[in-house]
Amino acid sequence: MFLFFIAFQVSKAQDSIVSFFNERDTVYLYHTLLDVYTFHFSGVMAIKKLETQHRIIFSTETGATLFDFTIEKNKCKTNYIMKEMENPIFVKLIKTDLLDLVQSYLEKKNYTDKVKVSNYSNSNFRLDNNGNQNIVYISGCTIDFINNKNIYKTISHIKSDENGIVSYVINIIHNNLPIKIELSKFYNTIEE
Amino acid sequence: MRKIIFVLNSVLLIWSLGASVQAQTYTPVKDIEAVKQKIATASKNMNSMQSNFSQEKYMSVMSQKIQSKGLFYFKKNNQVRWEYTEPYKYIIVLAGGKIQIKDEKKVSEYDMNANKAFKQINDMMIQLVQGNVLNSTSYIIKYSESSTNYLLDMTPTDKKLKSMFKNIQLYFDKNTYEVSSFKMIENNGDYTLIKFSNKKQNVAIDASKFVLK
């Protein structure tokens, strides 16, 4: 019975994994732990999908804003970042991860013509990462980012809701770098 | 569902009480030195504090505020525990140069000195909770009062604080000269309001409250 339940959940997520963070004017709130090299932060991350953008605001639990980014068309613009966080390496890494998180190929159908063949046999589909050489491999609730046939980053969505559009837990793990980002659903999703 | 409605009602009640404090009419304090002295004495005499708190975060990108609440513990010197109970259970302890965070899965621990952003915010918040800002050169402070509260409207002059906050409003109970709430307003107008209730000062707080396992 338990195995059936797991299978059911994965099956649901497989159909809708590309639509995470894609409901317009919806705010997704997550309690978030960021471990990026020597930078360690915890707080609340608000992700809002606008018409063509994602706005991401990360604040400490007690409310002070640490950064505020706008993501649009594969670019991440800084609206605000706390001085102490302005390390260029940190900013580049966190922006790339957030971009990959919210722009995980918003419309599956848009990318089917970009499918590339790799050695991975069980993938649902594969695609170019918008012109870069990296291959993105999506299977069930996991998105692997592959470079030279090695998985260098994994974004895993754990437990999605009934409609498969909100993940309860999301982990971003780098295999070759000391970077780990954990998001846990904080609050009911807010529809604006 | 009933639980959610109950929580929402509770949050709305706390929120409306907070709003009533904010909505009072404030006029400039005439004898600032007398008020400063009484606040300074209350601050100096506070060795520990245990309280409920409610927190409201307003962000211009959202039509609704993020509401949370929990229990707050403070013990001199610089030992703080924020125990969030709604809507998500997690605990943050700042003590002994460490930050410990406990969520439903695990305890994470970091060196506070390696995290300057967190340290700066924490140091500022401890000052606010203690009401220990009167002689700070980091702010220009305007004093005003209502029938029940003193309001210290603090505009940061310190470069770092200035980059983070437009101003900070610190509310003191007129009877006890203790901090009852504070509002941190960011440069883009977003703000966080933290209100304390059921405050108990100088009660014994077990050392275990400041160590997460």
Side-chain angles (χ1 to χ4, degrees), chain B residues 5-6 29 34 56 59 61 65 69 74 82 95 100 103 106 126 136 138 142 196 211:
Chain B
I5 291 167
F6 173 75
V29 170
E56 174 186 310
M59 289 191 280
V61 295
K65 297 179 181 80
K69 64 179 182 176
F74 166 76
W82 295 93
Q100 287 188 302
D103 60 19
K106 64 179 189 303
I126 287 176
S136 172
S138 301
K142 286 181 185 168
F196 297 103
V211 180

Side-chain angles (χ1 to χ4, degrees), chain B residues 53-67:
Chain B
F53 74 91
S54 65
Q55 183 177 319
E56 174 186 310
K57 168 87 176 171
Y58 164 78
M59 289 191 280
S60 56
V61 295
M62 289 173 59
S63 58
Q64 297 177 49
K65 297 179 181 80
I66 302 173
Q67 313 273 356

Side-chain angles (χ1 to χ4, degrees), chain A residues 40 48 61 63 65 182 192, chain B residues 55 57 61 63 115 186:
Chain A
H40 307 289
K48 183 173 184 179
E61 285 87 352
T65 300
E182 293 177 30
E192 298 278 277
Chain B
Q55 183 177 319
K57 168 87 176 171
V61 295
S63 58
N115 190 331
E186 301 180 5

Side-chain angles (χ1 to χ4, degrees), chain A residues 10-56:
Chain A
V10 170
S11 166
K12 276 284 207 180
Q14 273 181 337
D15 292 338
S16 52
I17 192 165
V18 287
S19 61
F20 289 122
F21 305 111
N22 199 31
E23 293 291 311
R24 189 179 161 183
D25 295 329
T26 296
V27 178
Y28 304 86
L29 287 170
Y30 286 89
H31 183 243
T32 302
L33 293 173
L34 293 182
D35 288 329
V36 180
Y37 285 86
T38 56
F39 293 86
H40 307 289
F41 294 98
S42 72
V44 177
M45 191 173 285
I47 302 173
K48 183 173 184 179
K49 173 73 169 69
L50 301 162
E51 187 177 1
T52 58
Q53 301 172 329
H54 284 89
R55 184 87 177 266
I56 302 181

Side-chain angles (χ1 to χ4, degrees), chain B residues 82-211:
Chain B
W82 295 93
E83 185 174 332
Y84 286 83
T85 54
E86 301 283 347
Y88 189 92
K89 286 182 183 173
Y90 57 92
I91 305 168
I92 308 161
V93 166
L94 305 112
K98 302 271 183 200
I99 304 166
Q100 287 188 302
I101 298 159
K102 185 176 187 178
D103 60 19
E104 284 170 344
K105 294 176 287 181
K106 64 179 189 303
V107 175
S108 306
E109 183 178 300
Y110 309 112
D111 183 351
M112 211 187 306
N113 288 320
N115 190 331
K116 288 179 185 171
F118 231 112
K119 187 177 186 310
Q120 191 181 357
I121 292 166
N122 181 55
D123 289 349
M124 184 199 75
M125 292 192 78
I126 287 176
Q127 279 190 326
L128 295 180
V129 169
Q130 289 188 98
N132 188 18
V133 291
L134 305 178
N135 297 318
S136 172
T137 54
S138 301
Y139 308 94
I140 294 170
I141 305 176
K142 286 181 185 168
Y143 294 77
S144 55
E145 62 184 317
S146 68
S147 57
T148 55
N149 291 284
Y150 290 110
L151 163 61
L152 273 59
D153 192 17
M154 311 194 305
T155 305
T157 51
D158 174 85
K159 200 177 170 185
K160 284 182 182 173
L161 286 168
K162 217 173 167 177
S163 71
M164 291 164 62
F165 301 108
K166 186 177 168 188
N167 69 330
I168 296 165
Q169 297 173 347
L170 193 52
Y171 293 85
F172 289 84
D173 186 301
K174 242 179 163 173
N175 293 320
T176 62
Y177 293 91
E178 294 164 0
V179 173
S180 55
S181 65
F182 61 89
K183 188 175 182 180
M184 302 181 292
I185 304 161
E186 301 180 5
N187 290 307
N188 64 358
D190 292 358
Y191 68 78
T192 303
L193 172 65
I194 294 179
K195 275 183 60 63
F196 297 103
S197 58
N198 300 324
K199 280 174 71 176
K200 292 173 190 165
Q201 293 221 11
N202 296 332
V203 290
I205 301 175
D206 196 277
S208 64
K209 287 284 182 196
F210 302 102
V211 180

